[in-house]
Amino acid sequence: GENVEQHPSTLSVQEGDSAVIKCTYSDSASNYFPWYKQELGKGPQLIIDIRSNVGEKKDQRIAVTLNKTAKHFSLHITETQPEDSAVYFCAASADSGYALNFGKGTSLLVTP
Amino acid sequence: EAQVTQNPRYLITVTGKKLTVTCSQNMNHEYMSWYRQDPGLGLRQIYYSMNVEVTDKGDVPEGYKVSRKEKRNFPLILESPSPNQTSLYFCASSSQNGEKLFFGSGTQLSVL
């Protein structure tokens, strides 16, 4: 089955800096790559997603890039703010979302 | 308000005592899914359902049962809980085959 590796497991940045989280996947048939943000005590919330026919997608301070050849995708957060502090999960699916495989998560801390 | 509602939020039980965690969504979503979240392991899919009366196993289905008799409800049943099922459980729903998931707030289960 699909294996999704996520790095780093923890990340600490200063407010205003950029944060980058990277994920690799094993199944070359994967075609859907979402990112979820989980705040303490809450369920994960979708923040951005990308399909395999798109190389990059942006939404305000958040962007995701996909390299199908290398089988990796990354989340970029610019101008980080303390409210960006949370656990972020990447995921991949080879069948348009039916069976998502999640990475183990990255705990991001943004310090003022 | 669009939401996925799980009950209970917290549950402590003993080995072998059957329990049900309920999940209900008010968005008329066809797709629903259950995940468990364990420290260092991320989110792992237990079961999913693409529509009423259609369910499929995820990555970790052993020891769990589900049913989908109505579109809005997707209960998770533990017939004989064991301590290794102590975990944080999330229900999720989607209108797009598992893409753009809406998650519930979670159920923290402890099996003694």
Side-chain angles (χ1 to χ4, degrees):
Chain A
E2 173 73 276
N3 183 42
V4 179
E5 300 274 348
Q6 183 172 346
H7 299 279
S9 57
T10 60
L11 179 60
S12 182
V13 300
Q14 286 208 310
E15 183 177 1
D17 288 349
S18 295
V20 180
I21 303 170
K22 299 180 179 180
C23 289
T24 60
Y25 59 97
S26 60
D27 189 346
S28 56
S30 290
N31 54 20
Y32 176 65
F33 308 92
W35 286 88
Y36 286 84
K37 175 184 180 182
Q38 185 179 26
E39 297 175 344
L40 198 61
K42 297 184 178 180
Q45 183 177 15
L46 178 72
I47 54 172
I48 196 167
D49 58 359
I50 193 170
R51 293 184 173 279
S52 58
N53 59 349
V54 176
E56 183 176 1
K57 184 176 179 180
K58 290 183 180 180
D59 183 2
Q60 299 182 349
R61 296 185 297 108
I62 291 172
V64 58
T65 57
L66 171 65
N67 184 326
K68 287 190 293 183
T69 303
K71 289 192 283 188
H72 68 70
F73 56 112
S74 300
L75 178 71
H76 304 254
I77 306 174
T78 59
E79 300 172 21
T80 54
Q81 301 166 3
E83 50 265 40
D84 294 329
S85 296
V87 178
Y88 291 81
F89 291 97
C90 64
S93 173
D95 48 10
S96 298
Y98 278 124
L100 273 177
N101 291 281
F102 284 84
K104 293 185 173 139
T106 296
S107 180
L108 172 65
L109 178 64
V110 181
T111 54
Chain B
E1 179 189 354
Q3 59 186 358
V4 176
T5 303
Q6 292 180 232
N7 281 298
R9 284 295 306 271
Y10 303 93
L11 179 60
I12 301 174
T13 189
V14 295
T15 299
K17 187 176 181 182
K18 181 180 178 179
L19 66 91
T20 300
V21 183
T22 64
C23 174
S24 179
Q25 49 92 5
N26 63 359
M27 295 168 279
N28 202 36
H29 285 170
E30 291 186 344
Y31 180 95
M32 297 186 75
S33 182
W34 276 102
Y35 294 86
R36 61 177 288 174
Q37 183 175 18
D38 301 288
L41 296 179
L43 290 154
R44 293 180 293 168
Q45 190 177 48
I46 304 171
Y47 270 94
Y48 65 97
S49 170
M50 291 183 283
N51 213 328
V52 176
E53 301 292 359
V54 180
T55 62
D56 280 295
K57 295 178 180 179
D59 294 322
V60 289
E62 295 78 19
Y64 304 95
K65 285 177 59 177
V66 292
S67 69
R68 188 88 184 275
K69 293 184 170 59
E70 304 166 283
K71 198 172 190 178
R72 63 181 294 130
N73 296 323
F74 190 43
L76 180 69
I77 303 157
L78 284 72
E79 295 268 3
S80 182
S82 62
N84 64 12
Q85 293 178 298
T86 291
S87 186
L88 178 58
Y89 291 86
F90 287 101
C91 179
S93 73
S94 165
S95 62
Q96 301 181 41
N97 300 334
E99 297 182 6
K100 303 188 190 299
L101 289 168
F102 281 82
F103 280 85
S105 298
T107 295
Q108 180 64 58
L109 171 66
S110 295
V111 183
L112 305 177

